[in-house]
Amino acid sequence: MLLLRTLLQMPELRLSLHTGEDQLDRTVTRVYGTELPDPSRYLSGGELVLSGLLWHHGPQDSETFVRSLASARVAGLAASETEDRALPTDLVDACVRHHVPLLEVPVDLSFATITERVSMELVGLSRHRRLLNVVAEGSGLPALLLAGSHELGASCWVLSTAGRVVAGGELPDRIGLVKEFLQADRLPKTVRGVTLVPVSERGGNRLTSWVLVVGGPVQQEAAAELASLVGLERLREAQGRQIENRTAAPLVSAVLNGSADLESRLAAAGLESARLRVISAVTSDQRTDLAAAVLEEALPQALVTPVGDTVYAIGKAGDSMPDDLREAMRVMEPGLGSSRVLVGISSPVTSRGLRGAAEEATHARRLGERRGGRTCVVAGEEIALHQLLLAGVPEELRTSLRRRLLGPVLDYDAEHGSDLVGTLKVFLDCSGSWTAAAAKLHVHVNTLRYRVGRVEELLGTDLAEFEARVDLFLALQAG
């Protein structure tokens, strides 16, 4: 709704008010310019009438003109003379009598400028009403985005911060655009021929926002208007997700505790007959809100809930889930701040294997703690059995076992600056093959035999024995 008082507040128009201060809340529907003595037949109400007063020759002319405006219920009159002198007193008096607000236009301001500025404002209001009608009809995000593209005259897309296209079709550079969005100091931002506009943020976290992508530089006000309406759809999805996640906490609790009502919990969540994966996530600074946001954006169909300082998710198993999650987390890295996010994913299981899957996901996540990178995703099917077993052993116990089995060799290396531990690792990695291990170490086989013999002497063991090799292999992996 465009009001007369709004026009007076536009500095570029420099309009001044002569009369009608108590009528400034009148709505302007269009601009109409005229020099007719009686333009009433061309008026339908709500107009801002522009006139240079070429029809004015005396007080009776003002009376006729203003009375016609009043009968048509115009919003107001904006008048200007061709010479730099005051508006006629009889015109001001007529406007007072007939309750027609009178605005004076500076002589150096063209009526075309006023028409263009007011028309732009009215187009914006009409656009907003049309878009709002799409939302009110419940047509959904695709219909809103299509209408928005038509209004802006440009292609539009909506992306999640995990790089997922929420609406708008395929977008080749979506990953790079999301990274630009997450790293931007100021938004909206025009980059690579498109404009990035934030849709909404929950809890002040940009990771929880969607990204409106508009194909080209556009009027920021129009793009922000569309983004605000897309934000309503974002809010609806977030509220739906919140409702779905109400079943997550009791379900995860039933999984971790081995509760008897697990099957009923799965049925309540619609997961009773599906193959499932359990996901365990933490951050380096115990930010469960951040870990939950990452999983919700990366796994939109999974149920997510925090338990202590860990966030768990349960979702339908897919062979591509580990790779999809890795890609999503790489995209979100610029929005993680100083936090490091570690995620473990279980192998696919039926309902009977969920408790073990939760343990597997936890062990996988702990293995990720020993790897590098801002984000790390470890899937159960990638992990050898001995790694899973060691992941379940407390750090203090792993250190103690490593020291007990390898102590003399560790001390020897420290004292002599040698690397018998490295030699032993390569030898065991090569399954005890002298030639393969010697080639990998770039030494003669006799040199290798001497070094391995020195290890056996220090440890008092025979590496020809299988059990001895297994113990030392595990001790090396525990470090």
Side-chain angles (χ1 to χ4, degrees):
M1 182 181 298
L2 178 59
L3 304 180
L4 273 179
R5 71 171 66 255
T6 304
L7 301 183
L8 288 169
Q9 294 166 355
M10 294 179 178
E12 66 272 31
L13 298 186
R14 295 178 284 125
L15 300 175
S16 58
L17 181 67
H18 271 264
T19 182
E21 187 173 354
D22 58 340
Q23 300 162 54
L24 293 180
D25 287 331
R26 290 187 179 185
T27 301
V28 178
T29 59
R30 69 184 180 113
V31 179
Y32 177 70
T34 184
E35 299 302 334
L36 295 174
D38 182 353
S40 57
R41 64 182 295 187
Y42 302 105
L43 302 173
S44 56
E47 291 88 355
L48 174 68
V49 176
L50 302 178
S51 180
L53 307 184
L54 298 181
W55 48 263
H56 183 266
H57 302 288
Q60 187 56 45
D61 294 331
S62 293
E63 175 66 22
T64 301
F65 184 80
V66 174
R67 186 173 59 244
S68 71
L69 300 188
S71 65
R73 299 181 182 279
V74 301
L77 169 63
S80 176
E81 292 211 42
T82 56
E83 299 178 9
D84 188 14
R85 53 194 175 93
L87 295 176
T89 302
D90 54 84
L91 175 65
V92 177
D93 292 341
C95 286
V96 172
R97 282 195 305 274
H98 294 286
H99 305 288
V100 174
L102 176 59
L103 289 69
E104 183 173 359
V105 180
V107 293
D108 62 339
L109 182 68
S110 72
F111 284 172
T113 299
I114 299 175
T115 301
E116 181 182 5
R117 180 65 181 88
V118 174
S119 296
M120 285 178 58
E121 194 73 19
L122 291 172
V123 166
L125 291 170
S126 298
R127 176 184 62 239
H128 182 78
R129 281 194 293 269
R130 288 192 293 270
L131 293 176
L132 196 58
N133 285 338
V134 176
V135 175
E137 290 168 359
S139 302
L141 183 57
L144 174 60
L145 203 62
L146 184 62
S149 297
H150 177 74
E151 296 291 345
L152 295 177
S155 299
C156 296
W157 299 263
V158 175
L159 305 178
S160 77
T161 48
R164 172 173 56 96
V165 177
V166 180
E170 187 57 37
L171 183 60
D173 197 23
R174 57 187 173 84
I175 302 301
L177 292 176
V178 171
K179 287 185 175 180
E180 291 276 2
F181 171 80
L182 290 173
Q183 295 177 94
D185 293 330
R186 292 185 178 180
L187 293 167
K189 178 180 182 180
T190 300
V191 58
R192 305 182 196 180
V194 302
T195 301
L196 307 178
V197 186
V199 169
S200 65
E201 298 179 3
R202 288 184 290 134
N205 189 345
R206 192 177 290 183
L207 277 178
T208 64
S209 175
W210 279 350
V211 190
L212 172 63
V213 181
V214 183
V218 296
Q219 182 185 356
Q220 288 194 2
E221 182 180 351
E225 183 178 281
L226 176 58
S228 69
L229 294 176
V230 173
L232 296 177
E233 297 296 327
R234 172 67 172 134
L235 180 60
R236 287 179 183 176
E237 181 185 269
Q239 290 173 335
R241 183 65 181 263
Q242 189 175 24
I243 292 172
E244 291 176 358
N245 279 343
R246 289 175 184 171
T247 64
L251 175 56
V252 169
S253 178
V255 169
L256 297 178
N257 299 325
S259 301
D261 63 348
L262 176 58
E263 293 296 337
S264 63
R265 297 291 186 187
L266 288 169
L271 299 173
E272 66 273 21
S273 58
R275 287 181 63 79
L276 305 168
R277 289 183 187 262
V278 179
I279 300 95
S280 171
V282 298
T283 67
S284 55
D285 47 3
Q286 290 80 49
R287 286 191 56 191
T288 54
D289 61 323
L290 180 61
V294 168
L295 292 187
E296 287 183 354
E297 294 302 319
L299 303 171
Q301 304 304 319
L303 299 175
V304 179
T305 187
V307 178
D309 60 1
T310 303
V311 175
Y312 287 92
I314 296 179
K316 293 182 179 180
D319 293 339
S320 65
M321 181 185 282
D323 290 336
D324 292 344
L325 188 53
R326 283 191 191 92
E327 179 185 4
M329 290 177 62
R330 280 195 294 267
V331 175
M332 288 188 281
E333 273 190 19
L336 297 179
S338 59
S339 301
R340 184 174 185 237
V341 182
L342 306 169
V343 179
I345 308 177
S346 75
S347 305
V349 296
T350 62
S351 59
R352 293 182 179 179
L354 278 175
R355 185 174 185 182
E359 294 177 356
E360 182 183 46
T362 300
H363 294 332
R365 189 203 74 221
R366 287 174 178 164
L367 283 174
E369 295 174 0
R370 302 163 65 185
R371 300 183 181 181
R374 293 286 309 287
T375 62
C376 184
V377 178
V378 181
E381 50 264 65
E382 304 170 20
I383 306 169
L385 178 60
H386 73 273
Q387 290 178 306
L388 278 175
L389 293 174
L390 286 171
V393 177
E395 179 70 29
E396 298 81 1
L397 182 56
R398 289 203 304 270
T399 302
S400 174
L401 290 173
R402 176 180 172 84
R403 182 68 198 174
R404 179 161 64 85
L405 290 170
L406 293 172
V409 178
L410 294 170
D411 293 340
Y412 184 90
D413 281 346
E415 182 179 350
H416 295 86
S418 57
D419 189 21
L420 292 181
V421 169
T423 298
L424 175 61
K425 185 177 186 309
V426 171
F427 180 68
L428 295 178
D429 286 344
C430 292
S431 302
S433 169
W434 297 101
T435 53
K440 194 169 183 179
L441 290 167
H442 304 291
V443 298
H444 193 275
V445 171
N446 288 339
T447 301
L448 176 61
R449 290 184 182 276
Y450 169 77
R451 293 180 182 177
V452 171
R454 192 78 182 98
V455 169
E456 290 177 321
E457 179 183 340
L458 289 167
L459 299 180
T461 190
D462 183 357
L463 286 176
E465 296 179 359
F466 178 74
E467 289 185 0
R469 290 189 181 185
V470 170
D471 286 346
L472 292 176
F473 176 80
L474 291 175
L476 290 167
Q477 295 295 318

